[in-house]
Amino acid sequence: MLVSLGFCAAVVPLQATHAAAPPASCAVITHGAAQDSAHGVTYENVVVRTPDGSSGLTAGKMTFTGSSADAAHDQADAASLLLMSAITGRHNAACSDWLAQQGQAAAATLKAGGGYDITWNNAVLTHGSNRVSSSTAHFKVDGSTSAHTSAATLALSGLSYQGISNEALLPSAANAAFSLPASELPALMAAIGGRSTAAPAVHVTISSFNATRDTVHMTGNGTATLTGNVNATTASGHLEVSNLEALIEKARAAKQMKLAAGLVLARLVSHAQNDANVWNTIWQGGVLTVNGFPLPLH
């Protein structure tokens, strides 16, 4: 889950004005130059590393808007840390309390009707020898003084992969629009970057999801209750895939025969609609139910 935030003012070396806020046992974050404004900051050459150096994020440029000047640096660092954790799947308990604090500040801003806008340009995320690159990652969230939920969008473009299984099956671009209660944001941030198996439930509604790779296009929508524990997480949704045959052929070409067989079975239980294969799905208690057919995945 990510967040996007902005810029103005004179260029100042970051090290002269701000020290990385997360605990050293959580992550090490450095930047090149910083350009501050009344409502955000722009960084050049952002680098995030786990203490053991096994995972990291680099970005040629990051813009963050939506925060007071004194809080922008910490919240921008929190956003980059969350992006790294979400993509690499690294969870560090030493990050939990700090991220929860940043989440509380963000929740207060959203409840007051504020919002955040964050963009990372030329981002590279690594975990061991695995590498995911994105030409642009953009996250935006808008709060409300009256609505219980905050509306957010996330877009990743120019995706490429190295050292990752089934690279040919992964999307080159993806975007989603969703909403979640602002009051649940601190727990979500703590779970993404910190505790991975214990966190209060976070209720997310996905109004749209799109992913594209060559001629294959996936769309969907749904709801989910996220807990940080896959066995306690529940979700339901609607999924459509156009040109499923091309996806099956990609799996066969990659010699992923189990995956190809699974996609063939998925095609058998799908419904045809507008030249696409359609599924209505429910995930609960380790069982995926697709168009009424239960598929235990433990």
Side-chain angles (χ1 to χ4, degrees), residues 1-6 21-22 26-27 29 31 41 43 46-48 57 59 62-65 67 71-87 98-100 102-103 106 116-120 123 125 137-141 154 185 189 192-193:
M1 298 293 204
L2 320 172
V3 190
S4 308
L5 328 167
C26 165
I29 304 178
H31 323 85
V41 63
Y43 288 137
V46 176
V47 179
V48 182
L57 158 71
M62 175 193 184
T63 61
F64 176 105
T65 57
S67 175
H73 291 279
D74 284 353
Q75 291 193 332
D77 283 351
S80 291
L81 177 58
L82 289 172
L83 178 63
M84 183 196 73
S85 298
I87 300 297
W98 183 75
L99 285 172
Q102 299 305 315
Y116 295 95
D117 195 304
I118 309 170
T119 301
W120 294 265
L125 298 115
H138 178 232
F139 184 80
K140 189 175 187 297
V141 59
L154 169 65
L185 184 60
M189 290 174 61
I192 292 173

Side-chain angles (χ1 to χ4, degrees), residues 209-288:
F209 167 79
N210 296 275
T212 303
R213 178 69 182 234
D214 300 327
T215 60
V216 180
H217 186 204
M218 179 184 295
T219 63
N221 57 74
T223 61
T225 301
L226 309 177
T227 66
N229 181 341
V230 67
N231 290 320
T233 294
T234 61
S236 63
H238 176 82
L239 181 66
E240 298 184 16
V241 176
S242 61
N243 205 359
L244 180 59
E245 292 300 325
L247 188 60
I248 294 172
E249 288 305 314
K250 285 178 179 290
R252 288 171 174 161
K255 300 187 184 305
Q256 297 294 322
M257 303 315 294
K258 288 184 178 179
L259 176 59
L263 290 171
V264 170
L265 290 175
R267 180 181 59 188
L268 292 175
V269 299
S270 69
H271 301 311
Q273 180 178 309
N274 299 326
D275 298 323
N277 294 88
V278 178
W279 301 266
N280 292 306
T281 62
I282 298 173
W283 166 264
Q284 187 171 14
V287 177
L288 178 67

Side-chain angles (χ1 to χ4, degrees), residues 98-203:
W98 183 75
L99 285 172
Q101 292 172 5
Q102 299 305 315
Q104 289 164 5
T109 296
L110 294 173
K111 290 177 181 179
Y116 295 95
D117 195 304
I118 309 170
T119 301
W120 294 265
N121 295 112
N122 299 319
V124 178
L125 298 115
T126 58
H127 178 52
S129 60
N130 300 329
R131 176 185 176 111
V132 178
S133 302
S134 177
S135 58
T136 303
H138 178 232
F139 184 80
K140 189 175 187 297
V141 59
D142 294 312
S144 171
T145 57
S146 57
H148 178 56
T149 58
S150 298
T153 58
L154 169 65
L156 302 170
S157 60
L159 289 167
S160 61
Y161 311 89
Q162 182 178 328
I164 296 177
S165 301
N166 307 321
E167 293 177 24
L169 304 176
L170 298 175
S172 57
N175 63 77
F178 57 95
S179 63
L180 75 164
S183 60
E184 296 178 352
L185 184 60
L188 178 62
M189 290 174 61
I192 292 173
R195 295 182 296 268
S196 60
T197 59
V202 178
H203 304 85

